[in-house]
């Protein structure tokens, strides 16, 4: 089974991504993957089977798991559950790195921290309610969560084995982070290889091996994530959306969009724009 890389784009206007786990109805399995962001799976009700590598860590209501940057994980959600997922870009922890853009949090599956869980629930409830000033309240709650992470869960002494194990993925993560931040510009294989001092062939092999997709597919996946947000907002034309997000025009966008999501951008905007339920990423 291949291990894929997941692209994470924060919520518009916030430094994190927050959502209910897509396997809430049960009968769902998320295959092995990794990403640069730190991720929290907080189970409010029900249960899920969480895997770190090959190790099973069952989680039930009131328990949560912290997934470290670059850590391979998968989820077996065979039963209905309510699980809140919070994804935090690694760069937000840069003042606490122990070296080589590295920070590590303890798992301790089964540990119950009522205060931590209460904050995650409050963050999601505030987001759902969307009342006046909710964005300010969300940032306040979020930084309380960040504080607990670095105070209570961060490992201050890290074995060199951890650093060696994550070195290759860290290198790729630095590249993908740059690409995500500059997705509207020139993201050709040759340009990115030159910036990071790799040969194009080596960089191409790196993506296939560690990200599980080709370099071109990854570039398109970044741009399409931002396209989805613009289409849901409904304020730009298809051509404007294409050009804003690094596509040469509406035809190029339509081909890439249809290949990934099975519909045209115009159809997506009609079905899912203006706050409607969005298509599964």
């Amino acid at each position: 089974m291949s291990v894929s890389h997941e692209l994470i784009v924060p919520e518009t206007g916030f430094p994190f991504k927050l959502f209910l786990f897509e396997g809430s109805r049960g009968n769902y399995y998320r295959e092995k993957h990794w990403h640069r962001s730190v991720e929290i799976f907080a189970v409010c009700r029900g249960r899920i089977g969480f895997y770190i590598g090959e190790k099973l860590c069952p989680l039930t209501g009131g328990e949560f798991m912290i997934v470290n940057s670059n850590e391979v994980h998968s989820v077996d959600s065979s039963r209905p559950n309510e699980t809140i997922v919070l994804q935090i870009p690694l760069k937000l922890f840069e003042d606490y790195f122990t070296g080589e853009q590295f920070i590590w949090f303890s798992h301790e599956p089964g540990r119950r921290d009522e205060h931590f869980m209460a904050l995650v629930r409050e963050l999601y409830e505030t987001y759902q309610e969307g009342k006046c000033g909710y964005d300010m309240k969300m940032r306040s709650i979020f930084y309380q969560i960040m504080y607990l992470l670095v105070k209570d869960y961060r490992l201050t002494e890290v074995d060199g084995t951890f650093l060696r194990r994550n070195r290759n993925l860290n290198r790729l993560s630095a590249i993908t982070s740059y690409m995500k931040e500059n997705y509207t510009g020139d993201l050709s294989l040759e340009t990115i290889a030159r910036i990071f001092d790799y040969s194009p062939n080596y960089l191409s092999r790196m993506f296939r091996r560690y990200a599980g997709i080709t370099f071109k597919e990854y570039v398109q996946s970044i741009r399409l994530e931002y396209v989805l947000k613009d289409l849901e907002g409904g304020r730009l034309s298809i051509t404007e959306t294409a050009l804003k997000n690094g596509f040469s025009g509406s035809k190029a966008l339509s081909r890439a969009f249809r290949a990934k999501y099975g519909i045209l951008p115009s159809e997506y905007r009609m079905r899912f724009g203006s706050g409607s339920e969005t298509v599964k990423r």
Side-chain angles (χ1 to χ4, degrees), residues 101-115:
Q101 298 188 36
F102 188 85
I103 188 170
W104 199 262
F105 298 97
S106 60
H107 296 127
E108 299 189 47
R111 172 175 175 175
R112 290 180 176 270
D113 185 332
E114 294 181 1
H115 181 45

Side-chain angles (χ1 to χ4, degrees), residues 230-243:
D230 284 339
L231 292 175
E232 290 161 13
R235 289 184 288 272
L236 301 175
S237 69
I238 301 300
T239 298
E240 289 172 332
T241 299
L243 296 176

